[in-house]
Amino acid sequence: MTDPHPARTRPAPVGFGQALRYWLKLGFISFGGPAGQIAIMHQDLVERRRWISERRYLHALNYCMLLPGPEAQQLATYIGWLMHGTWGGIAAGGLFVLPATLILMVLGWIYLEFGQVPAVAGALYGIKPAVTAIVLCAAYRIGTRALKNAALWAIAALAFLAIFALDAPFPLIVAAAALAGAVGGKLAPGRFALGGGHGAAKQGYGPALIDDDMPPPEHARFSWRRLAWTVGAALLLWTGGIGLLCGQFGWQGTPTQLGWFFTKAALLTFGGAYAVLPYVFQGAVEHYHWLTPAQMIDGLALGETTPGPLIMVVTFVGFVAGWGQAWLGPEHPGLAGVMAALVVTYFTFLPSFLFILAGGPLVESTHGNLKYTAPLTAITASVVGVILNLALFFAYHVFWPQGFGGDFDAMSAAIGGGALLALLRFKVAVIPVILACGGAGLLFTFAQTWLA
């Protein structure tokens, strides 16, 4: 007899192959920057597939928000690791960035070989307002779940004002929110014991494979031996990579300097791609002169049109650097670009795998402990304010491309409004919205060219 309430039945166990297929699919559909990617994973893994409960999902997300590097890719790595161990985490995190790596190398070759990508520019015109709508929708969805009382609303509002009006750095906002949560957890534990207001999650979505009351699996339990092995393996992979490049090209060679610079970028920059980009711009453009300011801006535009974390723009930077430096000879610029792009991607994301595989067992041991979860709950609330600021940042640059003193782009606003309506009112999935808006942008751009 069919269960009339399937959401009340725990999903069937997920095999490694089934998970691989999902992570690869996610790599191709993860548009919308970190907010959009986090929203996609929540919709898929918490609401639809119920591979992980909402409370444990946000517990993992809050840890990833504290780390340098791309939080959405780290979150995918964390969930893959929690489900299938070390190889599950490596597969999830690797497949999350693989499609974007390949696409950006192809786009980089087109960009440098032909000097322009008009089709991409037209699609980008429609995708930008769609991304704005996706981020705004993510702020709404996360906010309605996380902001369940006045204290959490206040933290979200203060975080928004701090970043919007005071231009406060993201790490400072996270630290202040964590401190507020730690104090609030002692003074008013009831307001911070909600896990961001997820007490009704099980009732809404049904039991999950990794549910609130389940202990961590064996591979996710803390062990000094496992920690030492993980850190040692990561150090071996890093020193082996740098040593190989240094032996082949010398310390001052472009590939070696790319590996060293992007290791520092991965370790020293917090707050997601928009915090990393100024550091990358300063180093890659102004110090090393690997690419021009115009090429950096074009790379950011291409990065926004592709799936994967926005920090994948570093793959484009590496491709342009390898192409321009011609360290394999003038007859092989494309091969040099591919190799440089792979070097940059490897050293940018290697620390992220270390943070998850080494730190994950410690994070799992804090699940349900108010002393640790109250600061993370407050961080979730602050993230809502930060995401809202990001949506307004996008809206300003997309709808007023020349600033408030210039013309208002009514067509772009119409595309963005349609995307927001489709996402919120009609619950259309992200990818159809992206495709429809990209198509609308292409048609409008070509129509303008034809009528001119």
Side-chain angles (χ1 to χ4, degrees):
M1 181 176 178
T2 304
D3 188 348
H5 302 290
R8 298 177 185 174
T9 305
R10 197 176 305 280
V14 176
F16 188 67
Q18 181 182 352
L20 279 180
R21 290 190 292 274
Y22 173 76
W23 297 123
L24 180 60
K25 172 191 171 185
L26 180 65
F28 280 102
I29 67 171
S30 56
F31 290 89
Q37 293 150 9
I38 290 166
I40 289 172
M41 282 190 281
H42 184 277
Q43 187 177 40
D44 278 350
L45 302 182
V46 176
E47 299 178 27
R48 290 181 57 247
R49 300 172 186 264
R50 289 181 288 126
W51 288 1
I52 185 170
S53 71
E54 185 170 57
R55 186 174 298 183
R56 295 189 80 153
Y57 174 89
L58 285 184
H59 187 70
L61 172 60
N62 288 333
Y63 170 61
C64 296
M65 294 297 297
L66 292 171
L67 301 173
E71 59 267 26
Q73 185 265 350
Q74 291 166 344
L75 179 61
T77 304
Y78 191 107
I79 297 174
W81 162 78
L82 196 57
M83 294 180 66
H84 294 110
T86 298
W87 287 111
I90 292 172
L95 292 175
F96 191 87
V97 300
L98 178 62
T101 301
L102 299 176
I103 292 170
L104 278 169
M105 286 193 294
V106 171
L107 291 177
W109 178 80
I110 294 172
Y111 175 84
L112 292 170
E113 186 69 26
F114 300 103
Q116 57 182 355
V117 280
V120 171
L124 177 61
Y125 178 82
I127 290 174
K128 281 184 176 180
V131 169
T132 303
I134 290 169
V135 174
L136 187 60
C137 182
Y140 170 78
R141 289 170 64 87
I142 296 174
T144 55
R145 293 189 302 269
L147 307 182
K148 292 297 185 181
N149 57 60
L152 298 177
W153 270 100
I155 291 173
L158 289 172
F160 172 79
L161 291 174
I163 196 168
F164 178 81
L166 303 178
D167 198 25
F170 183 77
L172 179 61
I173 294 173
V174 169
L179 179 61
V183 174
K186 293 182 178 181
L187 299 180
R191 294 181 178 271
F192 292 87
L194 301 174
H198 312 303
K202 184 179 291 188
Q203 179 182 356
Y205 304 130
L209 279 175
I210 303 173
D211 221 333
D212 293 344
D213 54 358
M214 288 184 175
E218 177 61 32
H219 67 265
R221 296 174 185 173
F222 179 75
S223 161
W224 284 108
R225 180 180 178 183
R226 185 180 291 119
L227 176 63
W229 186 93
T230 302
V231 173
L235 289 174
L236 182 63
L237 289 170
W238 184 85
T239 55
I242 284 290
L244 180 63
L245 294 174
C246 192
Q248 190 72 24
F249 302 100
W251 177 251
Q252 294 301 327
T254 299
T256 312
Q257 287 299 301
L258 283 169
W260 174 239
F261 174 75
F262 283 99
T263 295
K264 293 186 292 182
L267 292 173
L268 302 178
T269 50
F270 292 81
Y274 287 98
V276 178
L277 289 175
Y279 181 81
V280 173
F281 183 92
Q282 184 182 42
V285 176
E286 298 177 355
H287 180 72
Y288 290 103
H289 306 291
W290 287 328
L291 69 171
T292 67
Q295 287 174 329
M296 184 71 187
I297 294 171
D298 290 340
L300 180 58
L302 292 174
E304 289 180 332
T305 68
T306 56
L310 183 57
I311 193 56
M312 292 304 301
V313 69
V314 302
T315 300
F316 177 86
V317 171
F319 189 91
V320 174
W323 182 293
Q325 298 292 316
W327 43 273
L328 293 180
E331 66 276 12
H332 300 297
L335 181 59
V338 169
M339 292 184 65
L342 293 176
V343 166
V344 167
T345 305
Y346 176 84
F347 285 100
T348 297
F349 286 96
L350 180 60
S352 291
F353 288 100
L354 171 62
F355 294 144
I356 299 304
L357 299 179
L362 290 170
V363 175
E364 282 299 302
S365 68
T366 68
H367 177 69
N369 188 328
L370 181 62
K371 182 170 67 173
Y372 300 103
T373 59
L376 297 180
T377 297
I379 291 171
T380 300
S382 72
V383 167
V384 175
V386 173
I387 294 176
L388 179 60
N389 173 74
L390 180 62
L392 294 180
F393 175 85
F394 278 162
Y396 169 71
H397 287 279
V398 171
F399 303 149
W400 286 273
Q402 282 82 43
F404 286 130
D407 294 333
F408 175 70
D409 192 336
M411 177 55 68
S412 184
I415 293 174
L420 188 62
L421 184 65
L423 291 165
L424 287 179
R425 175 67 178 83
F426 298 104
K427 310 300 181 185
V428 180
V430 168
I431 292 308
V433 171
I434 287 281
L435 292 175
C437 292
L442 274 173
L443 289 175
F444 179 71
T445 302
F446 289 152
Q448 280 187 314
T449 302
W450 182 72
L451 293 174

